[in-house]
Amino acid sequence: MDFFVIQALTGLASASSLFLLASGLSIIFGVTRIVNFAHGSFFMLGAYMAYTLTTMWSGPLGFWGGVVAAAAVVAVIGAVVEIVVLRRIYDAPELFPLLATFGLALMTEDAVKMIWGPQDLLGPRAPGLEGAVTILGHPFPAYDLVLIVLGPAVLGLLWLFLRRSPWGVLVRAATEDRTMVAALGVNQKRLFTGVFMLGVFLAALGGALRIPREAVHHAMDMEVIVEAFVIVVIGGLGSVPGAFLASVLVAELNAFGILLFPKISMVLLFLVMAVVLVLRPHGLLGRPEAAARASLGVQEEPWRPMGRAGWALGVALVALLAALPLVADAYTLTVTTEILIFALFAASLHLMMGVGGMVSFGHAAYFGLGAYGTALLVRFFGAPMEWGLLTGPALALVGAVVFGWFCVRLSGVYLAMLTLAFAQIVWSVVFQWTEVTGGDNGILGVWPGRWASDPAVYYMLTLTLCAAAVGAIRHLVFSPFGQSVRACRDSPGRAESIGLDRRGLQWLCFVLAGGFAGLAGTLYAGLKGSVFPDVLGIPLSVDGLVMVLLGGLGTLTGPLVGAGVFKALAIEVSSATDVWKLILGTVIVVLVLAFPEGIVGVWRRWVRPRGAGS
Amino acid sequence: MSELLAVRGLNAWYGRAQVLFDIDLRVDAGEVVTLLGRNGAGKTTTLAAVMGLIPGVRGDVHFGGASISGLPPHRIARLGIGYVPEDRRVFSDLTVDENLAVGRQPPRPGAPSWTPQALFDLFPNLAELRRRRAGQMSGGEQQMLTIARTLMGHPSLVLLDEPSEGLAPRLVEQLARALGTMKAEGLTILVSEQNPRFARSLTDRAYVIEKGRTRFEGTLADLDARPDIRDACLAV
């Protein structure tokens, strides 16, 4: 019993730092609608900065002053980022800022390594709080007690600030309707910068407060960002008390999960999130998102089937690709095969996001299920990999049927987070179910039969299947089914009132997208000859998002171009330099600033200008 | 009377579809001007375009002699234009007092200035609901609140988008009385309406727009003499 109390207290101490992180994320999202992927980076920067300042200064004042000063310095960095990067893209399509913050997160990771080095850093402990107090006969770190008090204290301060201060009232008003706030004479730019600074300050403070408990390292950002997303979604987007409640819930889950259910400890967090979202689609304390107000004067360009020139171009491109084995060496063919596979992956994600209007943060789940559907067949039945072309997509389809059924009950960011939760559940199962999946060691020897072992043959196989699949997706988009799905995307209410079964259509779209991703995953397994849990991981899901957004959400060609550009860049840059994350991140940020409608969107604007400009 | 708002050759697009074609409007200081037209005629777009809420607009908008084309909405608001949208965008999570606080701006020389007390005199219903969350009020009360919130910015010109829409007849009368007080305080008002009978006694001049084009300009008496316009462009 005593042990449980101590464990619960440890959980509460972790909850405080998580709460600081998550409340900042929640406030930023509430007002600016930015899903800030770089939030974990600010948390990490706070920790590094606090390490530097607290080792430089001494005494209690040095420690606590260093912690607060570190958060303040990082908040200023946040303000600069908001002014230089984010401010320019608030009017860009919804997910573009996400892409920019992802680029920033990549940059930060390498920058931190350059400044502080790759090794773990152990900061000083809080003066006067190095020891332990005895609780129920067990020693308990004194610093953790301070943290336990600090969390609710910050919650109270934030609550007072948002309720009582004039600026807080503006923040709450802007959370509801920022356009109206601007029409009442409030300078949105300053408000957004202020909110972003506040959110970053909280994140950095959360990071800074962690240094006496654990070492600072350069992978902290990705470790905490997913947890922060989960917390914000469980608590309800934009709700500070919700973030607190969810922080406690998540921290206690972490503290007890590893003890009670060691086998599924990693699944637990995402399982809880999935259950919460299914029961309460807007989180514990969240409110239904106000139907996004379509801003006046902004309208999607309707999609048109390709004209004859478009088809000719497409056929020519495929023919050109088909001729590649005549001139290219094996390495080029392998790289191109990989790019083709990711073009299909991006196209399948675009089917879900661009066509179905369902943003997925976990599309790797279906890619990975396709890969494992193949690999397991090879491992347990000794079949050659090409039989996996049936079982891989089939397993992905099954996954998409089950997960999709839940997902289409939600919308917007909540839906996106539920897809992430399912992807993480699959990842955790694969990672922890070593007997079947091999866990971290993966499954090796997933090679195609001898006939396809030559890179050129495998390349042609991939080209054929990918071109056929992309053609099929294109066909789907302009079929009556595709039109109905797009109607549900653009105007759910009206679509339902003319008799369209919105959920059914979106579910089917979700499943089809999952199946195509599964095909891509299968081909990937055969290309690499092995499958590891990475194929289900968050980085891959994010890569997919980057490809689709980089190419442009509003066009069908976009994801293909995005995949080509991103993948080629990633392969080239990562083989040429150690700081590829820094370079890739910079390129992404620059591309987002230069092409706020995606590469293809801008291309179209030049070639076929719209009414207002002509 | 001096010209307060002048709109010349206003064009607007939704995507590729043009929705406003060379709209011309003039509102003199102290006037109440009514913008008449059917649903979808372009009234809301015109008012939102003046307020800087619509991207890709072409045309000239002058306010108080200076061009405001292309300015962001908050700058336009601070120059003294108040905007009351048609769909009662109250901040439903905030109390009445807090809603008013969001609208507060420093007093502006030359424009009528309002205190919360004066606004509660203007809209007595609100006085009893100061701590009530706006989301829990009736549609009529919310409409009063949006107007009061805009007046907290001490505008010299108010753009009112279909204020009487969906209100009970008793509330419509109350609203018309409030507009009368606002006019008497020296406020200039540009109000869009589908029904020329609303605030008829206050209206100095009217414009009729149809399918994004100005079809008529003059007094309501002039409009009565043009049954062709009334029948073709208005739902009466």
Side-chain angles (χ1 to χ4, degrees), chain B residues 65-174:
Chain B
S67 172
I68 58 167
S69 305
L71 289 184
H74 77 271
R75 296 273 307 279
I76 294 175
R78 287 181 186 187
L79 287 171
I81 301 186
Y83 173 66
V84 181
E86 66 180 331
D87 41 2
R88 309 190 182 122
R89 289 155 74 165
V90 291
F91 304 115
S92 55
D93 244 8
L94 273 57
T95 63
V96 167
D97 274 345
E98 288 172 336
N99 266 279
L100 295 181
V102 175
R104 180 180 296 132
Q105 292 286 330
R108 192 170 286 105
S113 93
W114 304 86
T115 60
Q117 199 45 56
L119 292 170
F120 292 133
D121 291 342
L122 192 62
F123 302 111
N125 304 20
L126 295 182
E128 294 143 34
L129 304 170
R130 297 179 61 161
R131 322 282 316 246
R132 175 83 58 96
R133 285 215 349 247
Q136 296 168 342
M137 307 199 310
S138 74
E141 288 158 356
Q142 291 187 0
Q143 183 66 67
M144 308 294 169
L145 178 57
T146 50
I147 298 174
R149 185 179 65 183
T150 297
L151 292 181
M152 285 295 287
H154 316 291
S156 44
L157 166 70
V158 174
L159 311 176
L160 278 167
D161 200 356
E162 299 208 28
S164 75
E165 195 193 10
L167 292 189
R170 189 177 53 82
L171 287 172
V172 173
E173 278 169 34
Q174 199 185 333

Side-chain angles (χ1 to χ4, degrees), chain B:
Chain B
M1 260 192 271
S2 69
E3 183 182 86
L4 189 60
L5 179 75
V7 175
R8 289 184 209 98
L10 189 68
N11 290 277
W13 290 262
Y14 286 176
R16 278 193 195 178
Q18 189 167 3
V19 291
L20 293 184
F21 301 84
D22 290 323
I23 295 277
D24 289 330
L25 285 175
R26 198 190 83 239
V27 183
D28 290 339
E31 266 190 321
V32 173
V33 172
T34 307
L35 193 57
L36 291 162
R38 285 204 177 114
N39 230 348
K43 306 187 295 293
T44 295
T45 309
T46 305
L47 295 186
V50 169
M51 202 60 210
L53 294 168
I54 296 186
V57 166
R58 290 287 169 87
D60 250 8
V61 183
H62 277 72
F63 178 66
S67 172
I68 58 167
S69 305
L71 289 184
H74 77 271
R75 296 273 307 279
I76 294 175
R78 287 181 186 187
L79 287 171
I81 301 186
Y83 173 66
V84 181
E86 66 180 331
D87 41 2
R88 309 190 182 122
R89 289 155 74 165
V90 291
F91 304 115
S92 55
D93 244 8
L94 273 57
T95 63
V96 167
D97 274 345
E98 288 172 336
N99 266 279
L100 295 181
V102 175
R104 180 180 296 132
Q105 292 286 330
R108 192 170 286 105
S113 93
W114 304 86
T115 60
Q117 199 45 56
L119 292 170
F120 292 133
D121 291 342
L122 192 62
F123 302 111
N125 304 20
L126 295 182
E128 294 143 34
L129 304 170
R130 297 179 61 161
R131 322 282 316 246
R132 175 83 58 96
R133 285 215 349 247
Q136 296 168 342
M137 307 199 310
S138 74
E141 288 158 356
Q142 291 187 0
Q143 183 66 67
M144 308 294 169
L145 178 57
T146 50
I147 298 174
R149 185 179 65 183
T150 297
L151 292 181
M152 285 295 287
H154 316 291
S156 44
L157 166 70
V158 174
L159 311 176
L160 278 167
D161 200 356
E162 299 208 28
S164 75
E165 195 193 10
L167 292 189
R170 189 177 53 82
L171 287 172
V172 173
E173 278 169 34
Q174 199 185 333
L175 188 67
R177 274 201 301 279
L179 290 194
T181 313
M182 284 156 65
K183 184 183 186 184
E185 291 284 332
L187 206 58
T188 310
I189 300 172
L190 175 59
V191 53
S192 84
E193 266 302 322
Q194 297 194 37
N195 185 344
R197 283 185 291 258
F198 173 73
R200 188 177 169 100
S201 59
L202 297 175
T203 300
D204 296 301
R205 284 184 307 116
Y207 289 86
V208 174
I209 57 175
E210 167 73 1
K211 292 185 180 153
R213 289 188 165 83
T214 317
R215 292 289 303 273
F216 169 86
E217 177 190 350
T219 64
L220 287 177
D222 295 339
L223 184 60
D224 290 339
R226 292 288 301 276
D228 55 321
I229 299 268
R230 290 189 56 134
D231 296 347
C233 305
L234 298 176
V236 273

